[in-house]
Amino acid sequence: MFNNDSQNHSIRNIIVATILFVLYIVFVAFPFFAATSPQTEASLEWAYNYAPIHYAMIYFPAFAIYVYSILKNILAVRYIRSLIYPIVFIILFVAVHMVFFVFSAVILWFAIITIPVGFIVLVAIEMLAIYFDIKDRKQNGEINFSKNSDFQMVLDILGKFVIPLLLFGICLLCAIMTVFMPKMILQAEQERALQCERNKHVIQTALNNLNIDINNASYEEISAQFQKEFSKNDIYEPLLGKKYDKVEANTGDYFSEFQFSTKDQDSIHVEDIYTFEKKNEHNEYNIWTTMACKILINENGKFVNN
């Protein structure tokens, strides 16, 4: 049962929590984000590596406490729902967007969708609040809200456990992206660069072993000779850094393609693909394209730095 004292107490709690939360955002959370976040939406580079984690540590606890305060008191609000409900919704609408600032302000692009949807929800909430306010004014005496006890229990679970766990999950994901993702990207780039060097050795060895004028030969001749050469596993497996069972050649009007593959039971696994295109009006150099990189070769058979 909610009496007038408990109603006034809940309204006061919501108003105080809202004011304090807004002040915290204005003077603490948002200034930190503005000072450390990526300068442009096209960049993911913060002022320093752990800035998004620190932003989460600064903002998430305040957000969780505010949400808990609202969920704890919102059902006891009476008669001025039409004022309290829209204010709370607007603050939470902005606050939820700020949660995802840990992934940079690029989240604001989603406002193209969220603002129209949020406006519709706001209108619906306001209409519902007015309806309940009018209904309550028509009733006399103290009203028993015991039927809402189960709903309040759900709100308590949301505020105490669900919201904090969601925030912790977002923070953990942010930490993984901040700490481990750069290392994974660097490792992948190093492996790609290493494989590219191996691919260069494969091509250089084939060019040295073949007696072919690659600039004047037809693509059919290029496909036939390179397929035969690449099929020498004892030579090219160590250079490629991968084992393969066979090399298949495909010839088009403007390219030769070589697919290095292995057979594993009933499946075929492609280890690498080399595609060769001659110099033409669109290509300044002969081009070998592999799964690791593009390799440019001039008319004299020399690699071009790219």
Side-chain angles (χ1 to χ4, degrees), residues 179-226:
V179 177
F180 299 106
M181 191 64 71
K183 295 180 180 179
M184 294 170 62
I185 293 174
L186 177 60
Q187 182 179 359
E189 177 58 24
Q190 291 173 339
E191 292 176 354
R192 185 205 64 79
L194 176 60
Q195 188 60 50
C196 185
E197 288 301 316
R198 289 171 173 167
N199 293 342
K200 288 182 179 180
H201 289 308
V202 168
I203 294 170
Q204 186 65 72
T205 301
L207 290 172
N208 292 339
N209 291 344
L210 291 172
N211 184 20
I212 182 174
D213 183 358
I214 200 169
N215 298 305
N216 297 311
S218 67
Y219 280 112
E220 287 79 7
E221 185 179 0
I222 292 171
S223 294
Q225 292 206 33
F226 273 89

Side-chain angles (χ1 to χ4, degrees), residues 47-63:
Y48 59 95
N49 290 340
Y50 293 97
I53 299 176
H54 292 163
Y55 170 74
M57 293 172 64
I58 289 171
Y59 178 65
F60 283 11
F63 176 77

Side-chain angles (χ1 to χ4, degrees), residues 64-299:
I65 292 171
Y66 178 67
V67 171
Y68 175 74
S69 299
I70 297 303
L71 296 179
K72 187 69 176 176
N73 294 280
I74 197 68
L75 288 185
V77 174
R78 311 271 305 155
Y79 303 116
I80 58 170
R81 293 186 183 95
S82 56
L83 176 64
I84 297 296
Y85 282 14
I87 291 175
V88 168
F89 176 79
I90 292 171
I91 299 300
L92 288 176
F93 182 83
V94 175
V96 168
H97 283 75
M98 290 187 64
V99 166
F100 294 96
F101 278 6
V102 291
F103 305 114
S104 88
V106 71
I107 189 67
L108 292 178
W109 280 105
F110 289 96
I112 299 174
I113 299 174
T114 59
I115 287 179
V117 173
F119 179 76
I120 294 172
V121 175
L122 176 62
V123 172
I125 288 174
E126 179 64 7
M127 292 176 64
L128 188 64
I130 293 173
Y131 167 76
F132 281 120
D133 281 348
I134 294 174
K135 182 178 179 181
D136 285 344
R137 289 193 186 100
K138 293 180 178 180
Q139 296 180 2
N140 297 320
E142 196 175 79
I143 301 173
N144 193 327
F145 279 82
S146 59
K147 62 182 180 180
N148 286 331
S149 60
D150 291 340
F151 189 37
Q152 183 61 60
M153 185 180 301
V154 172
L155 295 182
D156 289 342
I157 293 173
L158 285 173
K160 291 179 180 179
F161 303 106
V162 177
I163 299 299
L165 285 175
L166 287 175
L167 293 175
F168 177 76
I170 294 173
C171 190
L172 182 61
L173 177 60
C174 175
I176 292 173
M177 294 178 64
T178 301
V179 177
F180 299 106
M181 191 64 71
K183 295 180 180 179
M184 294 170 62
I185 293 174
L186 177 60
Q187 182 179 359
E189 177 58 24
Q190 291 173 339
E191 292 176 354
R192 185 205 64 79
L194 176 60
Q195 188 60 50
C196 185
E197 288 301 316
R198 289 171 173 167
N199 293 342
K200 288 182 179 180
H201 289 308
V202 168
I203 294 170
Q204 186 65 72
T205 301
L207 290 172
N208 292 339
N209 291 344
L210 291 172
N211 184 20
I212 182 174
D213 183 358
I214 200 169
N215 298 305
N216 297 311
S218 67
Y219 280 112
E220 287 79 7
E221 185 179 0
I222 292 171
S223 294
Q225 292 206 33
F226 273 89
Q227 181 185 26
K228 183 178 180 180
E229 180 66 22
F230 287 150
S231 296
K232 300 175 181 177
N233 300 56
D234 58 330
I235 296 176
Y236 291 98
E237 280 185 349
L239 296 177
L240 186 63
K242 301 175 182 178
K243 292 185 176 295
Y244 59 92
D245 295 327
K246 64 177 180 177
V247 178
E248 295 181 344
N250 298 307
T251 306
D253 293 336
Y254 303 102
F255 69 90
S256 290
E257 181 184 86
F258 308 93
Q259 182 172 297
F260 297 73
S261 61
T262 56
K263 187 174 182 180
D264 182 16
Q265 295 180 350
D266 296 330
S267 62
I268 296 177
H269 180 69
V270 177
E271 301 295 342
D272 213 332
I273 298 176
Y274 284 41
T275 303
F276 173 74
E277 297 179 55
K278 291 183 183 182
K279 174 183 176 181
N280 54 43
E281 59 182 1
H282 303 294
N283 302 328
E284 183 179 357
Y285 303 102
N286 293 331
I287 300 177
W288 285 90
T289 304
T290 71
M291 293 172 66
C293 62
K294 282 188 175 181
I295 300 168
L296 308 182
I297 302 178
N298 61 25
E299 294 181 349

